[in-house]
Amino acid sequence: MNSISRRSLLLAGGAIAAASACPGAVRALVTTAGIPVKLRTGEAEALLSGPKHAATRTWGFNATIPGPVLRIKQGAPFEAEVTNGLAEPTTVHWHGLRIPVGMDGVPFYSQPPIKPGETFRYAFTPPDAGTYWYHPHFNSAEQVGRGLSGALIVEEAEPVKVDRELVWVLDDWRLDKEEQIAGPFTARHDLVHAGRLGNVATINGTSPGSIAVRAGERLRLRLINAANARFFALKFEGHAPQVIALDGQPCVPHAAPGGRVVLAPAQRVDVILDCSGKPGARHTIEDGYYARQTYALTELAYSDTAPVRENPLDAPIRLPANPVPAPDPGAATRHDIVFEGGAMRGFPSGGGTVGEGGKRLDMRELVRAGVFWTINQQASPPGEIGKTPVLATLKRGESTVLKMVNKTAFAHPMHLHGHHFRVLTRNGAPVPHNQLRDTAIVSPDETVEVAFVADNPGQWMFHCHVFEHQISGMMGIIRVA
Ligand code: C2O
Ligand code: CU
């Protein structure tokens, strides 16, 4: 039995011990102007299944899982010195930040990979406030899968009025009985299906039995999904979370649809959680994304102390907008982006090309080359960096609509670097709440239209953030010239 189901049974039986310390206790590095933050990739250990289990040998930034929370200021220069303590090259991608391509951390397109023992200095000014994250963009399935990721918080000029803010990096691990990372990162079954799904889900690198809260508190939860493949759909029993930002960008505040806060890999959601329970109460936080696999991720454990306030607060704060240019869908150039491949649909049955200028291969030849997914019948070569096909070339400043059509049997969180796009429609129906995202779920047989202003020059990666799909073809370049 996997730990995800084991833990849910424990919770159902009331066997969880007293409230553990708040897992929000990740070391934070508050940045100071002119002094670079120092990050070092290397080996680390983590109590992923909780303090009663053996530690797992992992890879981490500054030997912590997740890496330190970086808190930086909107519009203020930021510098990070990354030293590579791994035995293989790496880079750091600042996921969701609209910064110059040279600082985006994509090997060869942004910078040479950082060799073992070398240091690279990143320097940029984040234009947008919000919840972002950082992770390597080299051998990502393994490097991120072994634990190299961390939260990157760009603070608003005016702090938002809440009682407490919690940053939760959600992750998912495939562990063996000794609590060690199990199996290869490129198992063919994972590549052709839903990616490398694990058996232990963590919040900030551990399995917290409970999260201590006080009645009447207003929390800002910054949720980040750092998993390779697992989607989360969190239900806060007895509570009504209000969504205030998606992928870092403020939206129209709204109740989580169906009470479920959904996060695909790489997505972030900021929610306002009013702690409306009674002193001493316990409420489960359940993850029910996959049918028949609902489990208790953790629970809210209310202290016995008197409520922080008697009357509930008014509607949640609307965050100030970031300076993301508004696209003009009427005047936009349009590009169709079609996903094919994977199990249950005969792999890329239409065939395709691999790499820039590659010759056309049929389905069997693609599979032999390790390609199981295509975008517009083009694939990024597995294991090769620097030969990613260009899917579209956009003029700098032009409004663009991407119409993504998913002909596969799997959901794909599609991520565009260097820009945020507005999610316009799903299967033709308008998407509410002004959703600006850098990563959008495209469900099986779904068509999703997004629009953005191509204002950031460079060659930008556009890929599925299920790393097992990305490394088996599902990546291309959107060029802004
Ligand atoms: Cu979060 Cu191309 O990555
Ligand atoms: Cu995918």
Side-chain angles (χ1 to χ4, degrees):
M1 189 190 309
N2 70 36
S3 297
I4 283 176
S5 46
R6 187 174 74 214
R7 187 139 36 78
S8 68
L9 290 177
L10 284 175
L11 271 179
I16 285 292
S20 64
C22 173
V26 189
R27 219 170 305 157
L29 285 180
V30 181
T31 61
T32 316
I35 302 173
V37 158
K38 285 187 170 29
L39 292 175
R40 184 174 199 281
T41 58
E43 288 177 3
E45 287 203 337
L47 295 168
L48 299 178
S49 295
K52 293 196 182 120
H53 297 262
T56 307
R57 291 184 300 277
T58 61
W59 295 353
F61 287 103
N62 297 2
T64 63
I65 304 291
V69 177
L70 303 181
R71 298 198 78 100
I72 69 183
K73 295 230 164 3
Q74 183 178 17
F78 166 76
E79 283 183 34
E81 262 178 30
V82 177
T83 301
N84 184 9
L86 303 175
E88 63 184 47
T90 195
T91 63
V92 177
H93 170 54
W94 313 92
H95 182 117
L97 291 191
R98 299 184 303 121
I99 53 179
V101 72
M103 290 294 135
D104 196 46
V106 176
F108 301 112
Y109 294 95
S110 302
Q111 63 176 98
I114 311 169
K115 295 203 191 86
E118 286 187 348
T119 297
F120 186 88
R121 183 185 279 237
Y122 293 91
F124 53 80
T125 299
D128 303 325
T131 304
Y132 303 93
W133 66 300
Y134 60 98
H135 65 78
H137 219 284
F138 187 96
N139 190 19
S140 313
E142 177 164 11
Q143 292 193 7
V144 185
R146 286 191 186 275
L148 285 163
S149 58
L152 174 60
I153 307 302
V154 185
E155 293 176 339
E156 292 94 13
E158 283 292 315
V160 165
K161 285 196 192 67
V162 291
D163 297 310
R164 269 196 305 150
E165 177 181 303
L166 301 179
V167 178
W168 287 4
V169 178
L170 305 172
D171 209 341
D172 173 45
W173 309 77
R174 189 182 291 175
L175 302 182
D176 63 18
K177 285 199 208 66
E178 278 73 51
E179 302 285 336
Q180 300 312 309
I181 289 174
F185 284 87
T186 53
R188 176 155 162 170
H189 184 274
D190 296 333
L191 302 186
V192 305
H193 291 90
R196 183 180 157 95
L197 293 167
N199 52 9
V200 174
T202 56
I203 300 176
N204 295 341
T206 192
S207 302
S210 60
I211 309 286
V213 297
R214 283 188 67 179
E217 269 193 301
R218 173 168 276 188
L219 305 178
R220 177 184 191 167
L221 274 182
R222 296 181 184 262
L223 303 170
I224 300 167
N225 184 354
N228 278 34
R230 179 171 294 280
F231 289 51
F232 291 87
L234 304 186
K235 265 200 172 172
F236 297 74
E237 180 203 29
H239 293 71
Q242 297 286 316
V243 176
I244 58 167
L246 297 165
D247 293 352
Q249 300 292 352
C251 59
V252 179
H254 60 280
R260 284 156 44 106
V261 179
V262 174
L263 296 109
Q267 290 189 322
R268 287 88 63 213
V269 182
D270 283 41
V271 303
I272 295 293
L273 191 71
D274 285 320
C275 294
S276 51
K278 301 232 165 0
R282 286 178 169 249
H283 294 273
T284 302
I285 301 178
E286 183 181 273
D287 170 22
Y289 184 82
Y290 301 93
R292 299 185 301 281
Q293 268 193 44
T294 299
Y295 67 99
L297 177 66
T298 185
E299 61 176 13
L300 296 173
Y302 280 77
S303 69
D304 292 323
T305 48
V308 172
R309 53 178 61 79
E310 280 314 321
N311 299 311
L313 293 165
D314 291 341
I317 320 91
R318 185 161 180 166
L319 295 169
N322 285 318
V324 180
D328 176 357
T333 55
R334 300 179 62 87
H335 298 266
D336 287 0
I337 305 279
V338 179
F339 311 129
E340 290 179 277
M344 275 116 78
R345 293 284 163 92
F347 302 106
S349 50
T353 57
V354 184
E356 206 40 90
K359 76 168 194 322
R360 194 157 179 96
L361 304 179
D362 66 18
M363 188 264 280
R364 284 153 157 271
E365 293 168 318
L366 287 178
V367 166
R368 218 174 297 135
V371 169
F372 304 117
W373 308 89
T374 58
I375 306 177
N376 288 354
Q377 303 203 336
Q378 298 177 73
S380 201
E384 271 182 83
I385 319 163
K387 298 201 174 133
T388 303
V390 176
L391 298 169
T393 298
L394 313 176
K395 263 206 237 66
R396 187 173 178 183
E398 102 184 355
S399 287
T400 306
V401 171
L402 301 182
K403 180 181 168 192
M404 298 186 278
V405 180
N406 185 356
K407 295 190 173 171
T408 82
F410 294 88
H412 304 289
M414 296 307 300
H415 171 45
L416 175 64
H417 286 213
H419 301 78
H420 271 74
F421 46 71
R422 175 165 304 155
V423 187
L424 300 177
T425 65
R426 291 186 175 274
N427 287 335
V431 170
H433 314 309
N434 191 24
Q435 301 193 10
L436 271 175
R437 287 204 168 269
D438 57 55
T439 307
I441 300 173
V442 189
S443 296
D445 299 312
E446 192 181 33
T447 295
V448 178
E449 287 180 305
V450 302
F452 63 101
V453 178
D455 64 340
N456 200 353
Q459 311 221 65
W460 297 104
M461 293 299 143
F462 171 70
H463 63 88
C464 178
H465 221 287
V466 171
F467 290 123
E468 293 73 28
H469 296 174
Q470 180 198 351
I471 63 172
S472 52
M474 212 166 172
M475 174 157 72
I477 286 173
I478 307 260
R479 246 181 98 220
V480 179

